[in-house]
């Protein structure tokens, strides 16, 4: 009897494990009570397409399964009924009527936290996690991940992580920021140059050198408690060439493949060009970003579903306030519209900002929700990065004033806001992780830096600044990514300069930090900047004046590029005055009497809150 039992157990064991294995199920969980309750599981394992899955769980059912070219994949379409309860589901896999294995799938209860979308009342701090703070030395290198830590290599991994960011939330909050946008944290198991995070090798897993999914979730939760919203950087255009599926693609059209390596032409004008050729269009959309970043084919319906579900998964898992979508115009346009629509359907209060790196507002505005485009394309994207504004602002602050140059450059770009369906929801910035540091862009002219920061904080839109702007970080004039994304002083044990302790900073750096802090703290209360209107006046004699106003507040901003203090005649702005007699400089508390003229300091940005 005993022997028979052992034999039976042995048979059971072999039938469960022999020859058949499921290596991955993605996503590995879902939540009850989601609008997206018909989900598709990607199942991977040798010959899994031969298996028939079954589920015995109240209000959850397998609708059907789909096989694709590669027998090592099976797609399971699940329906999670409205009455389904959270719990662990067994997915039983059968072959020839016999159960061969079983895999768990979790149905989770949703966390109560609200998805609190970022908006113009926020100020965003952009962080490159590998370069900010190394909070856990133990994860600097991981045995199973290819690239090891090497702080001496500017393009290498330096060890910054989620632990470091968690420790720094109070610092960020104290600077006056209310949101963080983090460069991607998902696994990038590439041989080299993996620190930036844009070569995803696992869409469901945080890179262990940054921490874990659970730590990312803890960062999100702690941020929420402190009033700091989280914006996740996402990439649906490409993955990393070491992504696990690259060795065994579900189908030949899973990625966009070319006979020989073909790079995108990066010509963004193609999307709206009435004369664009089909071949240029194909190269733009299906060409690869770089050799190590295979171009995903979002026209493949399984890929499209995979990406949409993955994004929803992260919003739900982290209760994100926003997404920054990388390389927005490069994926399939119709897919981007479906993706955004799906996100907004599930999370109407979420905000999403797209990266369309063009200095031309006609190109950027094409992608904003509500824009009527001549080719009929309709986008669902709420926000875009204001690249045209960034370029124009730097030009305005560095060029000599003339009839056609200087401040007028910026004024002219802002005047083209008619192209946008919602200019107030653009994200404005002096620089980001992909460009020369702003202080370098303005030739280390501190006055121009202050003007740029003041404009970013008071102009229409949602301000974003890159970590280190507060201490005037610089970089070489010619773009050098590794040095743009330099280590934040004090983020590593033993750093001689330590920003967190205020150690080793120059007076000018301290002044810069105080400037940003003052400005952003005041900005938090300035409703005219959050939801108010904008009116500006043609720059004249090296001075640009604009107003932000709502029913309760009126703010006057004066950018003076003159080398000497200037008398500003107020007559030209009289349409903006309704009996206000005083202006309080919001940074110095100095009061101005608004008589016929006011004196503004040389090379300054003066922000006045007007009072009767
Ligand atoms: Ca570390």
């Amino acid at each position: 009897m005993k022997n028979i039992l052992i034999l039976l157990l042995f048979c059971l064991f072999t039938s469960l494990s022999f020859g058949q294995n499921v290596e991955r199920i993605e996503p590995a969980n879902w939540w009850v009570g989601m609008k997206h309750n018909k989900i598709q599981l990607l199942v991977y394992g040798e010959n899994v397409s031969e298996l028939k899955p079954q589920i015995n769980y109240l209000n959850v059912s397998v609708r059907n399964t789909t096989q694709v070219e590669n027998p090592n994949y099976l797609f399971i379409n699940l329906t999670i009924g409205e009455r389904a309860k959270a719990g662990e589901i067994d997915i039983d896999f059968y072959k020839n009527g016999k159960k061969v294995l079983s895999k768990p799938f979790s149905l989770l209860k949703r966390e109560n936290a609200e998805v609190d979308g970022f908006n113009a009342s926020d100020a965003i701090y952009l962080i490159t996690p590998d370069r900010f703070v190394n909070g856990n030395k133990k994860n600097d290198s991981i045995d199973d991940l290819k690239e090891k830590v090497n702080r001496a290599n500017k393009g290498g991994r330096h060890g910054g992580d989620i632990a470091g960011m968690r420790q720094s939330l109070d610092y960020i909050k104290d600077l006056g920021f209310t949101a963080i946008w983090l460069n991607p944290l998902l696994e990038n198991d590439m041989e080299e140059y993996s620190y930036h995070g844009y070569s995803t090798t696992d869409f469901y897993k945080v890179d262990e050198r940054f921490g874990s999914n659970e730590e990312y979730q803890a960062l999100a939760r702690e941020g929420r408690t402190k009033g700091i919203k989280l914006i996740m950087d996402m990439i649906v255009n490409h993955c990393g060439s070491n992504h696990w599926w690259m060795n065994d693609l579900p189908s030949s059209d899973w990625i966009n493949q070319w006979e020989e390596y073909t790079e995108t032409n990066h010509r963004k004008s193609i999307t709206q060009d009435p004369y664009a050729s089909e071949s240029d269009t194909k190269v733009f959309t299906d060409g690869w970003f770089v050799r190590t970043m295979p171009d995903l084919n979002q026209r493949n319906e399984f890929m499209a579903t995979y990406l949409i579900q993955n994004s929803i998964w992260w919003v739900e898992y982290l209760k994100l306030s926003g997404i920054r979508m990388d390389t927005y115009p490069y994926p399939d346009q119709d897919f981007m519209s479906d993706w955004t629509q799906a996100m907004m359907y599930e999370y109407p209060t979420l905000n999403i900002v797209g990266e369309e790196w063009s200095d031309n507002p006609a190109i950027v505005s094409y992608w904003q929700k509500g824009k009527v485009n001549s080719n009929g394309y309709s986008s669902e994207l709420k926000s875009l990065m204001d690249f045209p504004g960034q370029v124009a602002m730097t030009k305005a602050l560095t060029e000599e004033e003339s009839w056609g140059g200087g401040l007028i450059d910026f004024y002219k770009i802002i005047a083209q806001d008619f192209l946008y369906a919602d200019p107030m929801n653009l994200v404005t910035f002096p620089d980001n992780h992909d460009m020369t540091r702003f202080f370098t862009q303005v030739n280390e002219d501190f006055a121009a830096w202050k003007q740029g920061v003041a404009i970013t904080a008071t102009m229409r839109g949602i301000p974003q600044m890159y970590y280190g702007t507060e201490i005037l970080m610089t970089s070489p004039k010619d773009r050098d990514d590794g040095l743009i994304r330099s280590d934040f002083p004090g983020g590593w044990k033993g750093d001689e300069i330590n920003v967190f302790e205020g150690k080793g900073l120059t007076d000018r750096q301290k002044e810069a930090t105080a400037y940003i802090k003052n400005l952003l703290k005041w900005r938090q209360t300035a409703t005219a900047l959050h939801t108010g209107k904008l009116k500006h006046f043609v720059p004249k004699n090296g001075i640009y004046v604009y107003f932000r106003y709502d029913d309760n507040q009126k703010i006057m901003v004066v950018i003076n590029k003159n080398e000497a203090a200037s008398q500003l005649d107020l007559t030209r702005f009289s349409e903006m005055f309704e009996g206000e007699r005083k202006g309080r400089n919001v940074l110095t508390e100095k009061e101005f009497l608004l008589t016929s003229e006011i004196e503004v300091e040389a090379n300054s940005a003066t922000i006045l809150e007007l009072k009767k």
Side-chain angles (χ1 to χ4, degrees):
M1 184 63 191
K2 206 174 166 187
N3 286 345
I4 293 172
L5 202 66
I6 288 169
L7 187 69
L8 273 174
L9 277 170
F10 179 72
C11 290
L12 190 69
F13 176 73
T14 48
S15 71
L16 278 174
S17 63
F18 213 71
Q20 215 79 54
N21 193 19
V22 167
E23 284 179 37
R24 284 172 185 273
I25 296 182
E26 296 187 349
N29 75 274
W30 204 249
W31 290 265
V32 290
M34 302 280 285
K35 289 185 197 161
H36 283 90
N37 59 6
K38 288 187 168 61
I39 60 161
Q40 183 170 75
L41 306 183
L42 177 156
V43 184
Y44 179 66
E46 208 183 330
N47 290 318
V48 288
S49 68
E50 295 172 355
L51 304 182
K52 277 187 91 68
Q54 274 190 25
I55 282 175
N56 191 359
Y57 192 92
L58 198 62
N59 296 314
V60 178
S61 59
V62 173
R63 280 199 319 286
N64 52 45
T65 59
T66 316
Q67 299 168 341
V68 290
E69 253 171 64
N70 184 340
N72 298 335
Y73 288 83
L74 184 67
F75 291 88
I76 305 178
N77 291 309
L78 272 190
T79 301
I80 298 161
E82 278 174 29
R83 291 184 182 175
K85 293 221 161 66
E88 289 293 309
I89 298 177
D90 290 322
I91 307 179
D92 297 328
F93 290 90
Y94 287 79
K95 190 175 171 183
N96 304 324
K98 245 174 62 188
K99 182 162 130 185
V100 289
L101 65 113
S102 188
K103 284 279 168 184
F105 179 81
S106 319
L107 257 192
L108 305 178
K109 199 168 169 280
R110 299 181 79 179
E111 207 183 319
N112 279 328
E114 282 291 309
V115 165
D116 186 11
F118 69 93
N119 55 51
S121 72
D122 290 306
I124 306 166
Y125 192 67
L126 165 61
I127 297 173
T128 301
D130 181 60
R131 304 301 172 84
F132 188 54
V133 176
N134 189 358
N136 177 8
K137 257 191 90 59
K138 288 196 196 110
N139 62 13
D140 289 2
S141 296
I142 297 285
D143 286 348
D144 290 343
L145 296 174
K146 295 178 181 72
E147 193 178 4
K148 310 299 176 198
V149 70
N150 179 5
R151 225 183 142 192
N153 174 5
K154 67 179 180 181
R157 297 198 78 101
H158 292 191
D161 49 33
I162 295 174
M165 293 187 286
R166 285 171 72 184
Q167 291 165 15
S168 312
L169 286 171
D170 286 330
Y171 169 78
I172 295 164
K173 185 188 165 119
D174 191 48
L175 281 175
F177 290 95
T178 57
I180 44 175
W181 154 28
L182 313 177
N183 287 149
L185 287 161
L186 301 189
E187 187 194 88
N188 273 229
D189 191 13
M190 305 296 287
E191 284 77 8
E192 55 177 11
Y193 203 56
S194 67
Y195 77 91
H196 56 67
Y198 289 95
S199 309
T200 316
T201 56
D202 188 330
F203 281 94
Y204 280 99
K205 191 176 178 218
V206 164
D207 195 292
E208 284 182 59
R209 291 162 292 194
F210 289 135
S212 63
N213 287 12
E214 290 73 23
E215 284 181 78
Y216 201 0
Q217 199 178 40
L219 170 70
R221 199 179 298 123
E222 287 159 10
R224 266 198 306 279
T225 331
K226 293 178 193 290
I228 295 175
K229 300 174 181 179
L230 178 60
I231 301 167
M232 181 172 172
D233 207 326
M234 290 189 183
I235 315 118
V236 294
N237 182 61
H238 49 258
C239 63
S241 48
N242 286 344
H243 189 284
W244 64 263
W245 60 40
M246 289 305 294
N247 291 326
D248 196 23
L249 292 173
S251 53
S252 49
D253 68 348
W254 190 249
I255 57 172
N256 291 311
Q257 309 212 51
W258 298 79
E259 298 234 322
E260 58 183 52
Y261 175 71
T262 304
E263 201 155 285
T264 176
N265 49 31
H266 297 283
R267 300 290 174 198
K268 280 86 174 264
S269 53
I270 285 171
T271 44
Q272 296 182 77
D273 181 355
Y275 316 117
S277 67
E278 280 167 34
S279 71
D280 284 345
T281 307
K282 188 170 166 51
V283 171
F284 175 66
T285 311
D286 294 355
W288 290 23
F289 204 74
V290 291
R291 257 177 207 280
T292 51
M293 295 176 178
D295 198 65
L296 304 177
N297 177 19
Q298 302 87 8
R299 291 180 300 271
N300 177 309
E301 59 176 309
F302 300 100
M303 170 59 86
T305 304
Y306 182 90
L307 294 171
I308 288 170
Q309 284 182 174
N310 178 255
S311 300
I312 293 174
W313 192 92
W314 281 109
V315 177
E316 189 61 31
Y317 184 73
L318 298 172
K319 289 290 178 186
L320 294 171
S321 288
I323 296 171
R324 178 268 186 185
M325 180 50 83
D326 187 57
T327 50
Y328 200 87
Y330 291 83
D332 181 74
Q333 280 193 60
D334 292 328
F335 166 75
M336 286 320 293
S337 191
D338 292 346
W339 176 84
T340 321
Q341 212 159 10
M343 300 310 295
M344 298 322 296
Y345 172 67
E346 190 74 53
Y347 306 104
T349 54
L350 184 76
N351 201 358
I352 306 178
V353 56
E355 178 203 31
E356 163 59 297
W357 192 343
S358 163
D359 60 3
N360 183 350
I363 301 287
V364 177
S365 62
Y366 174 80
W367 300 101
Q368 198 173 33
K369 182 183 167 70
K371 171 81 174 182
V372 179
N373 287 312
S374 62
N375 65 4
Y377 181 69
S378 139
S379 184
E380 293 295 321
L381 182 66
K382 278 186 183 172
S383 173
L384 282 131
M385 288 291 174
D386 186 14
F387 280 94
Q390 190 281 329
V391 174
M393 183 176 80
T394 306
K395 227 174 136 192
L397 296 176
T398 51
E399 242 178 37
E400 202 146 313
E401 287 299 301
S402 66
W403 195 85
L407 288 167
I408 202 84
D409 287 320
F410 185 63
Y411 164 84
K412 279 199 298 196
I413 281 290
I414 297 299
Q416 289 182 63
D417 272 4
F418 65 85
L419 289 163
Y420 294 102
D422 185 10
M424 297 292 165
N425 203 23
L426 295 172
V427 173
T428 59
F429 53 100
D431 67 7
N432 67 18
H433 60 294
D434 282 331
M435 54 179 77
T436 310
R437 287 278 179 172
F438 181 62
F439 194 43
T440 304
Q441 287 192 43
V442 295
N443 309 313
E444 302 193 21
D445 173 345
F446 194 28
W449 178 92
K450 281 185 178 169
Q451 288 169 333
V453 167
I455 291 171
T456 306
T458 57
M459 190 29 86
R460 92 286 184 263
I462 309 164
Q464 168 250 296
M465 291 176 211
Y466 194 30
Y467 79 95
T469 302
E470 71 272 27
I471 52 155
L472 306 171
M473 272 169 75
T474 56
S475 66
K477 264 271 173 202
D478 292 323
R479 178 175 166 178
D480 184 326
D481 287 346
L483 297 178
I484 288 165
R485 308 157 187 172
S486 284
D487 296 348
F488 190 65
W492 278 253
K493 230 186 164 144
D495 282 356
E496 269 176 38
I497 298 170
N498 190 320
V499 180
F500 302 103
E501 293 169 3
K503 206 177 83 186
L505 295 173
T506 65
D507 287 346
R508 203 166 66 164
Q509 284 176 310
K510 286 181 190 160
E511 191 184 335
T513 305
Y515 189 80
I516 286 188
K517 210 186 273 193
N518 265 343
L519 192 54
L520 294 186
K521 291 245 161 113
W522 164 75
R523 194 186 186 285
Q524 288 178 6
T525 66
T527 57
L529 302 180
H530 305 166
T531 49
K533 295 176 180 163
L534 166 67
K535 185 168 281 187
H536 66 168
F537 293 80
V538 181
K540 221 174 139 184
N541 305 326
I543 297 178
Y544 178 40
V545 174
Y546 58 89
F547 291 78
R548 299 297 312 276
Y549 59 104
D550 62 13
D551 290 342
N552 304 312
Q553 191 180 36
K554 200 176 281 176
I555 297 161
M556 179 182 183
V557 182
V558 184
I559 306 296
N560 180 20
K561 272 181 68 188
N562 292 296
E563 296 294 334
S566 307
Q567 295 299 319
L568 180 66
D569 184 349
L570 297 179
T571 323
R572 199 156 69 94
F573 319 114
S574 60
E575 68 186 270
M576 286 307 301
F577 296 116
E578 293 163 305
E580 289 88 353
R581 297 149 60 109
K582 282 186 282 186
R584 178 183 69 93
N585 184 323
V586 303
L587 295 179
T588 62
E589 298 292 329
K590 187 180 162 195
E591 284 225 338
F592 286 74
L593 279 179
L594 302 174
T595 48
S596 59
E597 57 179 38
I598 57 171
E599 188 181 275
V600 283
E601 283 173 34
N603 283 320
S604 64
T606 307
I607 306 168
L608 300 177
E609 206 175 329
L610 307 188
K611 298 268 183 249
K612 293 211 169 159

